[in-house]
Amino acid sequence: MIEDKAEYVPLTSFERIEPNDMQAQAVALRDVLLKRRTIRDFSNEPVPRELIETCIEAAGTAPSGANHQPWHFVAISDPDIKRKIREAAEEEEREFYATRASDEWLEALAPLGTDDRKPFLETAPWLIAVFAQRRGGVEIGMDKKNYYVTESVGLATGMLITALHSAGLGTLTHTPAPMGFLTDICQRPKTEKPFVLMVVGYPAENVKVPAHALIKKSLSDISTFL
Ligand code: IYR
């Protein structure tokens, strides 16, 4: 019994849903998630800090390797810092689109219509830089090896996107490559790796999304039941 090896406490938070309601709940959440679109054109309308804080708390509930919670979220609304991030990201992106990206990569991106201009990094009210911690531990101040860091931070980022979307916000999952500049600008330790830069806010009026993004694989494409 694992209970003999470690301290266990009763599970008090699990709530059983009426069997009749379970499918309806699953359908309702699926339909909420089906409405999420990545957007690249943001309104400058402010978003309350408390909403961002709550969504980060939701992200922080993700499962993680050995429960080390190897993530740190830097939420940025300061216009000067957003400008610095835009300038650094655009510099990297100019390199990327001009020389670094392979032809195959550029071909894959063509239907999205992206390029090296990233004005949304200043327009959007919030940027959330997500960092992955190679070392840490179950409590702040520890310096132990973390495990399954990429998987854990990926899960937390997915939950962050879900929380932001369900709170009525639009997002862009942005990965300027390389993202090293975020470590300096956000003043994070070198043992943390920038993972993703989430752009958060309301969509600009009459925003459009690439038709390419509406291609969704079906249940039978993405799953096998044995
Ligand atoms: N980071 C670049 C390129 C880019 C790469 C992928 I993969 C995308 O899905 C979208 C963009 C940019 O942000 O433009």
Side-chain angles (χ1 to χ4, degrees):
M1 286 285 283
I2 36 185
E3 282 116 292
D4 298 336
K5 299 192 192 136
E7 188 194 346
Y8 266 57
V9 293
L11 171 69
T12 53
S13 56
F14 184 86
E15 286 169 9
R16 221 177 148 106
I17 302 171
E18 284 297 311
N20 285 338
D21 294 339
M22 291 173 79
Q23 180 61 17
Q25 293 257 31
V27 166
L29 182 59
R30 179 202 61 196
D31 289 349
V32 165
L33 295 178
L34 266 172
K35 290 186 183 155
R36 188 198 58 78
R37 294 284 167 260
T38 292
I39 56 164
R40 292 181 175 78
D41 196 5
F42 286 81
S43 149
N44 63 3
E45 188 178 340
V47 166
R49 171 178 166 149
E50 190 184 15
L51 200 52
I52 302 299
E53 288 176 343
T54 305
C55 292
I56 293 173
E57 285 178 325
T61 67
S64 63
N67 191 34
H68 283 195
Q69 304 152 67
W71 41 68
H72 191 84
F73 302 89
V74 178
I76 303 140
S77 62
D78 182 304
D80 289 334
I81 303 177
K82 287 196 292 183
R83 182 176 39 75
K84 279 194 189 125
I85 290 176
R86 176 186 179 179
E87 284 167 3
E90 286 185 333
E91 201 174 313
E92 296 293 4
E93 297 291 2
R94 275 193 291 276
E95 273 278 312
F96 173 83
Y97 283 95
T99 56
R100 261 204 316 268
S102 64
D103 287 346
E104 187 177 11
W105 198 341
L106 291 176
E107 206 177 298
L109 291 180
L112 295 176
T114 54
D115 60 26
D116 56 16
R117 289 166 297 173
K118 307 296 176 193
F120 49 76
L121 293 174
E122 284 192 88
T123 322
W126 289 97
L127 306 177
I128 306 177
V130 183
F131 289 85
Q133 301 174 327
R134 276 187 283 269
R135 298 192 64 82
V138 71
E139 279 170 297
I140 288 298
M142 290 181 168
D143 182 31
K144 295 182 184 301
K145 181 174 161 48
N146 287 335
Y147 303 92
Y148 297 103
V149 172
T150 306
E151 293 83 350
S152 303
V153 182
L155 289 164
T157 302
M159 293 174 74
L160 177 66
I161 293 171
T162 303
L164 292 163
H165 169 66
S166 78
L169 294 167
T171 57
L172 165 64
T173 309
H174 186 38
T175 51
M179 279 189 281
F181 64 86
L182 286 174
T183 300
D184 299 330
I185 296 177
C186 298
Q187 301 182 358
R188 297 307 302 167
K190 293 271 182 275
T191 48
E192 289 184 2
K193 193 173 169 340
F195 185 77
V196 76
L197 181 60
M198 296 304 308
V199 186
V200 183
Y202 294 100
E205 242 175 275
N206 304 319
V207 73
K208 289 185 176 176
V209 295
H212 179 73
L214 302 180
I215 305 167
K216 291 292 171 202
K217 292 179 181 171
S218 68
L219 175 65
S220 62
D221 290 332
I222 64 166
S223 65
T224 303
F225 286 69
L226 302 177

